[in-house]
Amino acid sequence: MSAPSTRPLLSLYRAIYAAGVTATLLVAGFGLWIGLSLRNWPVVLVSVAVVGLLVLAVSRRLTEFRSRRHLPGPKPSFFLGNMSDLLLHGHGGRHESLQALHDEYGPLVRFHAAWGSAPFVSLSYVSPNLLRKELDSHRRADRTVLSRSLMGMAGGELHQTHRQVIAPSMTFRGVSERGYVLKDVADRYVNKWKQVDEGYEGLQCDLRDWSVNCLSAFLFGDDWDVEADLHAYHRALSAIEEEVSFRAFHPFFVRWVFPGRRRRVRAAYHRVAAELGEVVTRREQRIPAACPAHGATAAAAAAAAGGDLLDRVTRAPWSPEDRVEELMSLILGGADPMSYVLSQALVMLSLDPHVQEKARKTVEASSSCAQEGDLGTDPYVRNIVYETLRMFPPVPFSAKFSDERAVVEQGMSIPPGTVIMWMKNAVGKNPEIFREAERFNPDRFDPERFPADGEKRNDTISSFLPFGAGPRHCVGNRLAEQQCIVLLTEILKNFHVVPLRHIKVQFHSTISVVPSAVPVRLVPR
């Protein structure tokens, strides 16, 4: 049975499909009767063609079921496939439903989406097939909202040109050169937390503010308005994330069935676009594109001096809409995911004083050896971030798509046209991949622990790929890692992280996972 909140929704979808089929048959039958009565052969042909298209659509659906019967998974219904199984825990609990399916059917699970959408196969492991260049990311929902950005556009030349503009600012070197921005933003929040009392309940809100401010300050430099209304900004970003997530797993017609949702996401889009449009305008006014100093020579100088991504975007031969939407996609892709990673890392540190104290000692040792201007990044803190990503992936699933070639997994052939998804929650906690998978153990990512005899180890970030795989992997993965490491380092330097066991936390999954609270208290040292 589906969750109470989704039963009416599923019933509505069934009614829409049934009404569509019935109306098609009635109209075609009426047209056929009129055509034959009046000997109007064009009307007869059109009516027959409509019935033929309906029969073809039904036949394709049945063929879809038959061609994937050899793959393990729950039995689908004709109209909705396995949506009832997917939404068993509600729309925001899809990751829980998929985990339950993997527990029942094994490392590979087939499930069918609603009629008219591609079927899925979910994996509880990272397959080498996911790295194949001919497999593009599945972006059906993203392109309906963010079609001009890396999130929404299909792979190809245009995607490559956008990525070439963005990528240099996101390399390890590019992030390191502007690491002082991450440190400045982290210090601002650390100083705030030193002033709050024991009853402070705003940590979750602060972490979301930090993630937006950190990303924006890094990407936009001085042109980011630090006094922006971040709460309204968050609400707008969340509305866009929710709509993209909703469209990804629901029938194709949901864009038109719910006009209220459509109006809300449009309003949210325009709200964020207006904010980012002002950022772009401020930069263009400060350094006009027509200025000779804004050409290729200036570009090289800016890169050498550690210029920000906004410089590259304003120089790119894109339309204003392209610029704004690309910046929007970067904020959407990083804000909530990184606040979730930090919140879960703090929770796990609060529950394991041994790991917390070890991390604090390694941070202090790294800081004492750091040179002036060096962030003193500690490898153990990086391992904490990796371990948190393994156990609590902020984006629960990523998907690839092959239109032309079959893919072999677990000795079974997956037909072309199937979306291949790796369920990151299941991958990270798969005991066949990670030893003591349920245990929070940052030491598992320490390369010095790897055996010297060459035995293969799975305890690496490539075993669960939190930032995606292949040519479409997350362009901001270096930035995401570093901003988490910097803030976590400053927290360990300045606070003891204490658990609050009386707080009940609920999790909601959109593009990323969002917790309702962070059940920890930061006690100044």
Side-chain angles (χ1 to χ4, degrees), residues 8-259:
L9 196 61
L10 296 178
S11 297
L12 173 64
Y13 294 159
R14 290 189 189 96
I16 291 174
Y17 277 113
V21 171
T22 301
T24 300
L25 290 174
L26 287 175
V27 169
F30 181 74
L32 189 61
W33 177 70
I34 292 294
L36 291 174
S37 299
L38 301 178
R39 297 185 179 276
N40 190 329
W41 304 120
V43 172
V44 172
L45 290 175
V46 169
S47 300
V48 171
V50 169
V51 174
L53 289 174
L54 180 60
V55 170
L56 178 62
V58 171
S59 175
R60 290 188 62 178
R61 181 65 162 175
L62 295 175
T63 300
E64 173 192 317
F65 291 159
R66 286 194 299 269
S67 64
R68 293 163 178 82
R69 280 187 303 188
H70 62 289
L71 303 174
K75 183 178 179 180
S77 68
F78 183 84
F79 287 139
L80 298 186
N82 300 113
M83 282 195 66
S84 295
D85 301 288
L86 184 64
L87 300 180
L88 187 65
H89 298 282
H91 175 73
R94 299 183 308 277
H95 56 295
E96 298 177 38
S97 301
L98 280 171
Q99 181 64 64
L101 289 174
H102 277 291
D103 292 341
E104 181 176 356
Y105 292 99
L108 185 152
V109 178
R110 173 265 305 146
F111 64 96
H112 293 272
W115 190 17
S117 301
F120 284 76
V121 163
S122 177
L123 307 178
S124 65
Y125 59 93
V126 170
S127 166
N129 283 316
L130 300 173
L131 301 173
R132 286 166 43 178
K133 292 184 178 181
E134 67 268 24
L135 265 67
D136 194 13
S137 290
H138 183 58
R139 300 286 178 174
R140 181 179 70 88
D142 303 78
R143 73 172 62 101
T144 67
V145 180
L146 298 166
S147 60
R148 299 172 180 267
S149 71
L150 288 177
M151 284 183 67
M153 65 178 61
E157 185 176 350
L158 182 60
H159 177 270
Q160 291 176 358
T161 58
H162 273 242
R163 197 173 181 98
Q164 287 167 0
V165 170
I166 295 170
S169 297
M170 301 294 190
T171 61
F172 182 82
R173 177 180 177 182
V175 172
S176 298
E177 287 176 346
R178 291 182 53 76
Y180 65 91
V181 176
L182 310 181
K183 177 70 163 55
D184 289 345
V185 176
D187 286 343
R188 190 189 318 163
Y189 286 90
V190 166
N191 291 332
K192 174 183 178 178
W193 294 328
K194 288 179 179 179
Q195 309 303 319
V196 300
D197 57 31
E198 293 185 1
Y200 185 65
E201 298 181 351
L203 185 56
Q204 164 63 4
C205 184
D206 284 346
L207 287 177
R208 296 187 76 186
D209 285 355
W210 157 79
S211 62
V212 170
N213 263 325
C214 202
L215 278 170
S216 302
F218 181 91
L219 299 175
F220 311 146
D222 293 337
D223 291 295
W224 169 245
D225 180 8
V226 296
E227 303 299 328
D229 184 353
L230 290 181
H231 296 300
Y233 195 57
H234 279 153
R235 287 194 297 271
L237 289 171
S238 297
I240 298 172
E241 285 187 342
E242 174 67 30
E243 187 63 17
V244 171
S245 170
F246 188 78
R247 294 181 184 183
F249 292 99
H250 288 248
F252 62 93
F253 51 72
V254 294
R255 293 171 59 186
W256 301 281
V257 171
F258 303 108

Side-chain angles (χ1 to χ4, degrees), residues 429-445:
K429 296 181 181 179
N430 188 336
E432 296 183 4
I433 301 175
F434 296 100
R435 304 173 186 177
E436 298 180 291
E438 296 293 335
R439 179 188 169 204
F440 184 75
N441 178 25
D443 284 321
R444 75 172 70 247
F445 293 104

Side-chain angles (χ1 to χ4, degrees), residues 342-352 392 497 499 517-520:
L342 246 296
S343 68
Q344 295 303 97
L346 292 176
V347 170
M348 300 311 292
L349 289 175
S350 74
L351 298 175
D352 195 330
F392 308 100
V497 188
V518 184
V520 305

